[in-house]
């Protein structure tokens, strides 16, 4: 049977797409939504497993690291508005095995006397609208007057427009990067189940108020401290800390059950930021990606980095290329997390750090080269 090209951008065959989506659980999703939607999913799920590649690098990681049978596969979690304390809510979006995980983020809600404050806007129209409806419901129909963006990535700011005329605040670096992204933002949202119905006009709204360090809201009887913790995941990361309730909205400082996404990251400084936050009095942690958890889960994020960094360092010192290093490393239980292909870009980030060439921007050429090399090594091993 001739191989059918189902994803022209990636040059992936149907079988390759199925292999990847089956591992990531997306094959299960395709089965559930019915045959009519499978073609659509096949055409679009591959880039969703490796969200960065087609958009940023033009190439994708073609072979995922295999599941390590010694460790469990990750659980699933559902979309819900979770009350964590009086007037404090986490909006958690579904994920885990069997779900699309790339680009699916969480948000926060703080209810005041007359208004609502939210932390992050999510990344797609239907997600943002569902969050707004749930926020209004939990917040007694009050208007959302303030939105704080944790950082500039699309899955946290692309929904900003749906919160207007709320005032949008961020770290200056976040505003700068959103402004840079505006000219390249497409005029519409492609129709995709659960994300966009295809009718929304797209208009990226930048933060208009910035702060360098801390911004404190006294709202609904709560102190909500927005604190700058970067550079870490990006050069502009904010978290929201509620000392009274020992709650931390960690945004993308924390990835639970997902491989951290590092294309704009300073991994060593990210580890330092986590170490700093771990000293705060915190019981509950809302990650940017994954289910609500605690310090044990945040310790896993840093443990992932510690392990990756030492494995990458050995290969860097042995003069291996970044792509060959990524293909050679076995991450054990972390290979079972969602987004295992991110090891390639994360390895490149560490190489840039070791070489002293790291910048806040994505290393497009280095990552692309590493992905191509990784793919050719994995293809050679397969045959
Ligand atoms: Zn991010």
């Amino acid at each position: 049977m001739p191989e059918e090209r189902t994803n022209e951008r990636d040059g992936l065959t149907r079988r390759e797409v199925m292999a990847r989506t089956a591992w990531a659980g997306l094959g299960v999703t395709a089965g559930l939504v019915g045959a009519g939607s499978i073609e659509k999913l096949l055409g679009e799920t591959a880039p969703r497993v490796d969200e960065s590649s087609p958009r940023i690098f033009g190439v994708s990681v073609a072979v995922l690291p295999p599941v390590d049978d010694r460790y469990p596969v990750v659980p699933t979690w559902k979309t819900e508005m979770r009350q964590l304390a009086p007037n404090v809510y986490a909006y958690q979006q579904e994920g885990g095995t069997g779900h699309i995980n790339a680009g699916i983020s969480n948000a926060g809600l703080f209810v005041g006397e007359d208004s609502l404050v939210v932390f992050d806007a999510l990344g797609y129209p239907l997600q943002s609208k569902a969050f707004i409806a749930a926020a209004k419901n939990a917040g007694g129909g009050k208007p959302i007057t303030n939105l704080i963006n944790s950082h500039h990535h699309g899955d946290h700011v692309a929904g900003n427009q749906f919160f207007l005329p709320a005032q949008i605040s961020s770290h200056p670096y976040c505003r700068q990067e959103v402004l840079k992204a505006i000219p390249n933002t497409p005029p519409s949202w492609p129709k995709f189940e659960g994300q966009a119905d295809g009718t929304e006009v797209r208009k990226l709204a930048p933060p208009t108020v910035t702060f360098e360090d801390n911004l404190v809201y006294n709202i609904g009887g709560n102190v909500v401290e927005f604190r700058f913790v970067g550079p870490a995941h990006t050069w502009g990361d904010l978290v929201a800390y509620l000392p009274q309730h020992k709650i931390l909205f960690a945004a993308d400082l924390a990835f639970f059950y997902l491989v951290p996404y590092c294309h704009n990251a300073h991994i060593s400084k990210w580890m330092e930021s986590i170490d700093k936050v771990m000293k705060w009095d915190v019981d509950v942690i809302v990650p940017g990606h994954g289910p609500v958890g605690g310090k044990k889960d945040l310790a896993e994020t840093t443990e992932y980095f510690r392990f990756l960094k030492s494995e990458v360092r050995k290969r860097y010192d042995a003069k291996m290329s970044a792509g060959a290093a990524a293909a050679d490393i076995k991450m054990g239980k972390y290979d079972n997390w969602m987004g295992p292909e991110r090891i390639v870009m994360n390895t490149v980030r560490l190489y840039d750090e070791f070489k002293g060439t790291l910048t806040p921007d994505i290393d497009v050429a280095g990552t692309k080269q590493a992905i191509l090399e990784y793919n050719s090594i994995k293809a050679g091993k397969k045959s």
Side-chain angles (χ1 to χ4, degrees):
M1 203 177 92
E3 293 269 300
E4 190 186 337
R5 294 278 146 181
T6 57
N7 188 317
E8 290 303 326
R9 275 190 310 184
D10 275 12
L12 289 179
T13 63
R14 171 190 291 268
R15 196 192 306 156
E16 286 163 346
V17 173
M18 285 303 276
R20 292 171 61 184
T21 56
W23 183 87
L26 294 168
V28 177
T29 307
L32 290 176
V33 297
S37 302
I38 288 177
E39 285 308 315
K40 189 183 73 182
L41 278 166
L42 282 174
E44 301 192 33
T45 47
R48 305 203 56 72
V49 174
D50 177 13
E51 64 183 301
S52 63
S53 302
R55 192 160 43 85
I56 300 168
F57 310 115
V59 292
S60 293
V61 174
V63 181
L64 294 180
V67 170
D68 191 326
D69 292 332
R70 294 172 299 167
Y71 303 101
V73 296
V74 309
T76 60
W77 51 93
K78 58 184 180 181
T79 298
E80 57 180 334
M81 183 67 88
R82 289 178 65 163
Q83 182 161 24
L84 303 179
N87 294 326
V88 179
Y89 297 82
Y91 188 69
Q92 171 188 289
Q93 291 206 94
E94 69 181 15
T97 300
H99 294 281
I100 290 171
N101 287 272
I104 309 296
S105 62
N106 299 326
L109 166 68
F110 310 105
V111 178
E113 289 275 297
D114 313 301
S115 63
L116 308 177
V117 174
V118 297
F119 188 36
D120 274 341
L122 310 181
Y124 296 97
L126 297 184
Q127 294 178 357
S128 299
K129 289 175 187 176
F131 172 41
I132 289 168
K136 293 241 163 111
N137 188 41
K142 294 164 199 163
I144 297 170
T145 53
N146 296 79
L147 160 64
I148 292 88
N149 286 145
S150 65
H151 65 295
H152 71 279
H153 289 158
D155 49 335
H156 301 262
V157 306
N160 278 1
Q161 66 184 82
F162 301 104
F163 293 81
L164 296 173
Q167 184 183 71
I168 307 174
S169 308
S170 76
H171 186 269
Y173 173 80
C174 171
R175 172 175 154 80
Q176 169 199 306
E177 293 304 304
V178 173
L179 288 175
K180 272 201 244 170
I182 288 174
N184 303 318
T185 300
S188 62
W189 303 83
K191 187 174 164 146
F192 193 91
E193 199 171 312
Q195 296 178 356
D197 61 21
T199 64
E200 297 92 351
V201 174
R202 189 167 181 177
K203 203 169 182 309
L204 183 55
T208 52
V209 175
T210 63
F211 59 98
E212 298 272 349
D213 197 4
N214 286 358
L215 174 70
V216 181
Y217 276 77
N218 292 277
I219 179 165
N222 296 309
V223 176
V224 185
E225 301 179 13
F226 294 92
R227 296 182 175 182
F228 175 59
V229 294
H233 173 68
T234 73
W235 262 245
D237 299 313
L238 300 179
V239 299
Y241 178 49
L242 288 82
Q244 291 157 286
H245 303 296
K246 304 180 184 182
I247 296 167
L248 177 71
F249 291 79
D252 280 10
L253 204 64
F255 284 68
F256 296 166
Y257 299 111
L258 288 98
V259 174
Y261 194 79
C262 295
H263 73 302
N264 290 130
H266 190 308
I267 290 175
S268 295
K269 288 190 186 295
W270 187 341
M271 293 165 72
E272 287 170 22
S273 291
I274 291 178
D275 288 347
K276 187 171 75 181
V277 161
M278 288 292 273
K279 294 192 183 101
W280 299 355
D281 195 7
V282 171
D283 288 335
V284 176
I285 298 178
V286 182
H289 299 268
V292 175
K295 275 191 172 171
K296 193 168 68 66
D297 303 286
L298 187 56
E300 283 285 341
T301 305
T302 206
E303 210 35 61
Y304 162 87
F305 285 135
R306 231 181 285 284
F307 186 73
L308 177 71
K309 190 175 171 183
S310 81
E311 291 299 308
V312 170
R313 184 77 217 194
K314 284 180 223 163
R315 289 160 181 84
Y316 175 82
D317 288 342
K319 310 253 183 294
M320 282 173 86
S321 66
D328 190 47
I329 294 170
K330 290 190 177 44
M331 291 298 291
K333 66 176 169 180
Y334 304 116
D335 275 335
N336 292 12
W337 282 3
M338 298 289 119
E341 75 287 345
R342 294 173 182 175
I343 190 170
V344 184
M345 89 171 122
N346 295 357
T347 299
V348 171
R349 263 341 244 181
L350 283 165
Y351 265 62
D352 287 343
E353 198 183 310
F354 298 152
K355 282 186 280 186
T357 56
L358 191 76
T359 71
D361 292 330
I362 308 154
D363 177 356
V364 176
T367 309
K368 192 169 177 175
Q369 190 192 344
I371 291 172
L372 292 171
E373 190 177 8
Y374 175 98
N375 284 349
S376 86
I377 291 168
K378 293 290 189 185
K381 274 187 188 150
K382 256 197 315 185
S383 57

